């Protein structure tokens, strides 16, 4: 397996859909190629960092304001006396 | 089979614990909302407004637009609730509306240029890795939360909208590859191709912040 072949399989690798026979080749390539090992490690970390970080604030005031605006638009003004 | 390399540990705190054969709790909420129960719809809004806002902000890169889009998405969903057949998850349906609204907003902003899922996807930039420096074991710990968020925002902002959108749905929102394809009206191979390039471009750009060979960070690491 070449580095290009490895890259072509990277998305399937993350999806866990690489067929078992090909998986052996992929693993063998990673064991032998430092560059691809680094690419795999840093790409995994890239995904994890984005997945686990809330990079845009969504404070409770904003959430409340949006929910109130949405419900008013959809269902009309609420009776605040209830 | 014992693998030499275990599957990469992609952490997914919000990963679905619902099995396919189980009925998703949203189904009952949607049914009640369709029958006119506004409290059921309100609960759906509460469940998904953060996600819809995040998707819109990722795509438009504009906070005010994201606020407007979040309102529009739920308003449209409410109006078209009868059209939701339950073939996909309710959240995927909302995300699809959010993507359409967000891309439309981008098109309005860039009056002289068409914005679509196909824009800039033919670029070769980032499709071949160039930086092979190893990253620190826990790179996110190198920076404070505010600084890290700024780095991540700046980095994803540099991606073409077509790549940014695919990465957001698949990797940030944790939709499956198939759900991402469905939400964007793309084929699965097209999603896979864009996803690979989005991931590699982000990796390449983040490497300067997270790699071990940064002498400043190496020094800071030693002093900790």
């Amino acid at each position: 397996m070449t580095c290009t072949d490895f890259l072509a399989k990277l998305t399937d690798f993350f999806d866990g859909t690489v067929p078992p026979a090909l998986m052996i080749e992929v693993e063998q390539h990673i064991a032998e190629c430092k560059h691809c090992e680094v690419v795999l490690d840093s790409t995994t970390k890239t995904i994890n960092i984005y997945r686990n970080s809330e990079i845009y604030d969504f404070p409770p005031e904003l959430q409340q304001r949006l929910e109130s605006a949405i419900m008013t638009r959809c269902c009309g003004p609420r009776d605040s006396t209830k | 089979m014992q693998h030499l390399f275990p599957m990469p540990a992609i952490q997914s705190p919000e990963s679905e614990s619902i099995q396919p054969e189980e009925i998703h709790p949203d189904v009952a909420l949607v049914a009640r909302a369709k029958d006119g129960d506004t409290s059921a719809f309100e609960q759906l809004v509460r469940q998904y407004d953060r996600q819809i806002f995040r998707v819109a902000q990722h795509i438009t890169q504009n906070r005010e637009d994201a606020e407007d889009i979040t309102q529009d998405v739920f308003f449209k969903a409410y109006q078209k609730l009868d059209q939701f057949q339950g073939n996909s998850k309710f959240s995927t349906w909302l995300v699809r509306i959010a993507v359409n609204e967000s891309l439309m907003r981008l098109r309005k902003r860039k009056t002289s240029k068409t914005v679509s899922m196909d824009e800039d996807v033919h670029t070769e930039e980032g499709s071949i890795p160039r930086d092979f420096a190893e990253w620190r074991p826990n790179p996110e710990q190198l920076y404070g939360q505010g600084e890290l968020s700024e780095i991540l925002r700046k980095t994803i902002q540099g991606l073409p909208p077509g790549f940014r959108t695919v990465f957001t749905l698949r990797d940030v929102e944790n939709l499956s590859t198939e759900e991402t394809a469905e939400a964007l009206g793309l084929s699965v191979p097209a999603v896979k191709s864009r996803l690979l390039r989005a991931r590699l471009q982000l990796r390449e750009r983040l490497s300067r912040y997270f790699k071990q060979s940064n002498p400043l960070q190496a020094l800071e690491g030693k002093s900790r």
Side-chain angles (χ1 to χ4, degrees), chain B residues 3-66:
Chain B
H3 291 304
L4 284 172
F5 285 83
M7 285 303 294
I10 298 181
Q11 302 149 10
S12 51
E14 296 170 12
S15 63
E16 295 286 334
S17 58
I18 305 294
Q19 298 301 311
E21 62 269 19
E22 289 182 38
I23 296 173
H24 197 286
D26 287 355
V27 172
L29 281 175
V30 172
R32 280 171 50 202
K34 278 183 179 179
D35 285 342
D37 182 344
T38 54
S39 70
F41 185 72
E42 190 168 18
Q43 198 172 328
L44 290 165
V45 173
R46 283 204 189 111
Q47 275 175 209
Y48 296 116
D49 55 2
R50 177 187 291 271
Q51 181 183 17
I52 295 306
F53 178 81
R54 194 168 50 211
V55 168
Q57 176 130 25
H58 264 296
I59 298 173
T60 63
Q61 294 293 308
N62 183 287
R63 199 167 179 81
E64 284 178 12
D65 283 349

Side-chain angles (χ1 to χ4, degrees), chain B:
Chain B
M1 184 177 58
Q2 179 71 42
H3 291 304
L4 284 172
F5 285 83
M7 285 303 294
I10 298 181
Q11 302 149 10
S12 51
E14 296 170 12
S15 63
E16 295 286 334
S17 58
I18 305 294
Q19 298 301 311
E21 62 269 19
E22 289 182 38
I23 296 173
H24 197 286
D26 287 355
V27 172
L29 281 175
V30 172
R32 280 171 50 202
K34 278 183 179 179
D35 285 342
D37 182 344
T38 54
S39 70
F41 185 72
E42 190 168 18
Q43 198 172 328
L44 290 165
V45 173
R46 283 204 189 111
Q47 275 175 209
Y48 296 116
D49 55 2
R50 177 187 291 271
Q51 181 183 17
I52 295 306
F53 178 81
R54 194 168 50 211
V55 168
Q57 176 130 25
H58 264 296
I59 298 173
T60 63
Q61 294 293 308
N62 183 287
R63 199 167 179 81
E64 284 178 12
D65 283 349
E67 287 186 26
D68 290 346
I69 289 164
T70 304
Q71 288 192 40
D72 292 346
V73 166
F74 284 102
F75 184 57
K76 285 200 171 169
Y78 189 76
Q79 286 180 312
K80 296 180 178 177
L81 216 46
D82 283 337
Q83 292 175 24
F84 176 69
Q85 300 297 318
N87 298 325
S88 60
K89 283 191 287 191
F90 185 69
S91 58
T92 308
W93 188 62
L94 288 177
V95 165
R96 197 187 310 148
I97 300 173
V99 169
N100 288 337
E101 292 292 316
S102 301
L103 291 176
M104 218 148 57
R105 195 63 69 117
L106 280 185
R107 286 186 200 109
K108 276 184 194 165
R109 211 192 293 161
K110 294 174 137 189
T111 46
S112 60
K113 200 176 171 188
T114 307
V115 176
S116 74
M117 285 303 300
D118 293 327
E119 190 191 357
D120 295 336
V121 294
H122 302 300
T123 174
E124 286 304 309
E125 193 210 338
S127 55
I128 300 165
R130 295 180 195 285
D131 193 326
F132 300 108
E134 283 188 75
W135 282 21
R136 301 281 284 263
N138 297 297
E140 66 278 11
Q141 292 174 6
L142 294 170
Y143 301 93
Q145 192 53 53
E147 200 180 358
L148 178 67
S149 294
E150 180 60 28
I151 290 169
L152 298 178
R153 277 196 298 266
K154 212 166 55 180
T155 304
I156 201 166
Q157 200 167 28
L159 284 187
F163 289 176
R164 197 165 65 220
T165 304
V166 169
F167 181 83
T168 297
L169 299 196
R170 178 69 186 92
D171 286 339
V172 180
E173 301 306 330
N174 207 16
L175 268 64
S176 69
T177 303
E178 288 73 18
E179 286 170 334
T180 304
E182 185 197 327
L184 299 178
L186 291 171
S187 68
V188 167
V191 166
K192 285 184 178 180
S193 161
R194 285 161 210 219
L195 188 59
L196 173 68
R197 290 160 72 185
R199 286 167 168 171
L200 290 178
Q201 284 190 28
L202 287 175
R203 183 205 82 89
E204 203 78 12
R205 292 169 193 205
L206 287 178
S207 196
R208 59 188 282 239
Y209 299 104
F210 297 146
K211 62 187 174 186
Q212 290 194 356
S213 56
N214 184 332
L216 244 181
Q217 286 171 7
L219 276 175
E220 283 170 3
K222 277 179 191 168
S223 66
R224 278 178 191 171

Side-chain angles (χ1 to χ4, degrees), chain A residues 47-76:
Chain A
I47 296 167
N48 284 340
I49 289 171
Y50 271 103
R51 189 166 289 176
N52 297 323
S53 305
E54 281 285 351
I55 65 174
Y56 303 115
D57 287 340
F58 193 67
E61 319 76 87
L62 172 60
Q63 184 166 27
Q64 212 165 16
R65 183 157 52 83
L66 280 175
E67 285 169 4
S68 172
I70 290 164
M71 293 312 292
T72 301
R73 251 177 103 178
C74 293
C75 312

